[in-house]
Amino acid sequence: MAQNPATVQQLIVLNKHGEKLVGILHETGSMEIVVLCHGFRSSKETRTLSNLAVTLENEGISAFRFDFAGNGESEGSFQYGNYFREAEDLRSVIEHFTGAKRTIVAILGHSKGGNVVLLYASKYHDIHAVVNVSGRYDLKRGIEERLGKDFLERITKDGFIDVKSSMGEVNYRVTKESLMDRLNTDMHEACLSIDEGCRLLTVHGSTDEVIPVEDALAFAKIIPNHRLHIIEGADHRYSSHQAELASVVLPFVKECLQLAKDAPK
């Protein structure tokens, strides 16, 4: 348990485009830290990330949850795809903490954030533990639900699709370039590039209404050093299963923390 009371403070990190990424640091004084990443059109303030950060904080483990560029309080414009660009935002955050001589014990992402942490691990090989909470395996799925039928035909004709609310207001614009970014992001190929020494935990709800639980099973089949935990009855946001999610994530992080402490310097 933490010896000293934790402090919660805002911290700003510049990304490679000079944009301010706004985050909340749950500072316990530990040199080890866990970085938490949000999902699509979401933010660091989601119940899932906030609860996980407090769970880690209560165990004396520092945590940092932040907004990707174009989301929440961070600078930049929102883009529909941006998977690898968000992985670069995560890179900037990790470099900030490692530059301060801190150890990133794990990176965790929920939903699209799950994809981002996996892509990060496939490109950079400096993180030894990754937690994928309800990430999507097949990025070609789930598009029609948001953009409607014949989305490729319509976006090719007009160059963009405006996604509107039930009131007819434009929520966000999807450009052809950002759609192709998503369609060309191959999670299967990326996962094959993750180091075998990188420990990976995938958590998914059995009744996820946004991303089917089959995606979690697909990750489990192709990632070698992988642990899979299905939370029975949980939806995509873990609406009634926040405590159970924390009870799965925390032991994994503590295990990784102990391994990091025991590793030869």
Side-chain angles (χ1 to χ4, degrees):
M1 296 293 288
Q3 299 301 309
N4 300 310
T7 61
V8 178
Q9 60 205 61
Q10 187 183 84
L11 177 68
I12 293 172
V13 177
L14 286 183
N15 69 8
K16 290 178 170 62
H17 303 275
E19 296 161 336
K20 291 177 182 175
L21 304 177
V22 181
I24 299 294
L25 175 62
H26 295 250
E27 179 62 85
T28 68
S30 69
M31 291 309 291
E32 299 82 17
I33 191 163
V34 178
V35 179
L36 309 175
C37 302
H38 66 77
F40 178 74
R41 279 182 57 78
S42 189
S43 81
K44 64 185 179 305
E45 306 298 343
T46 63
R47 187 168 162 235
T48 297
L49 293 195
S50 299
N51 285 348
L52 287 172
V54 170
T55 297
L56 293 165
E57 174 193 314
N58 288 341
E59 291 292 324
I61 303 167
S62 296
F64 183 66
R65 50 189 170 94
F66 73 100
D67 294 326
F68 289 116
N71 292 268
E73 295 181 286
S74 290
E75 293 180 344
S77 58
F78 171 80
Q79 297 290 335
Y80 176 73
N82 262 17
Y83 287 84
F84 274 105
R85 196 179 192 277
E86 291 188 354
E88 291 303 317
D89 282 355
L90 176 57
R91 178 70 171 168
S92 297
V93 167
I94 287 171
E95 287 179 338
H96 170 86
F97 286 111
T98 55
K101 307 298 182 197
R102 301 189 73 159
T103 301
I104 309 295
V105 71
I107 52 177
L108 176 150
H110 174 240
S111 195
K112 186 186 181 187
N115 291 89
V116 172
V117 295
L118 290 168
L119 291 171
Y120 181 93
S122 76
K123 183 173 181 181
Y124 299 104
H125 305 283
D126 55 351
I127 300 295
H128 305 297
V130 175
V131 183
N132 161 35
V133 180
S134 308
R136 189 182 289 280
Y137 175 76
D138 184 358
L139 292 177
K140 292 181 174 62
R141 294 173 64 178
I143 300 174
E144 189 173 293
E145 289 89 327
R146 294 191 195 274
L147 305 189
K149 293 186 176 180
D150 307 318
F151 60 85
L152 261 181
E153 185 182 316
R154 288 186 290 118
I155 209 163
T156 300
K157 175 175 173 284
D158 300 328
F160 65 89
I161 293 174
D162 283 335
V163 178
K164 299 179 180 179
S165 69
S166 56
M167 304 294 289
E169 297 171 346
V170 176
N171 281 337
Y172 58 94
R173 174 167 287 188
V174 179
T175 63
K176 185 178 180 183
E177 181 185 14
S178 65
L179 174 62
M180 298 319 291
D181 176 273
R182 172 165 173 159
L183 291 173
N184 292 328
T185 301
D186 187 336
M187 292 308 301
H188 180 95
E189 197 62 36
C191 288
L192 296 178
S193 300
I194 296 174
D195 282 350
E196 288 191 17
C198 181
R199 304 172 81 244
L200 211 137
L201 169 67
T202 290
V203 188
H204 214 104
S206 68
T207 57
D208 191 319
E209 73 289 6
V210 177
I211 299 173
V213 69
E214 289 76 24
D215 286 39
L217 304 177
F219 282 125
K221 283 180 184 173
I222 62 164
I223 299 174
N225 195 354
H226 187 274
R227 194 179 300 176
L228 173 64
H229 191 104
I230 306 296
I231 297 183
E232 286 301 321
D235 62 14
H236 190 62
R237 291 174 178 78
Y238 297 86
S239 305
S240 305
H241 296 80
Q242 289 285 315
E244 193 170 347
L245 174 62
S247 75
V248 173
V249 169
L250 181 60
F252 178 79
V253 170
K254 290 176 81 172
E255 204 177 300
C256 296
L257 177 61
Q258 195 56 52
L259 287 169
K261 286 181 174 177
D262 293 345
K265 298 293 185 263

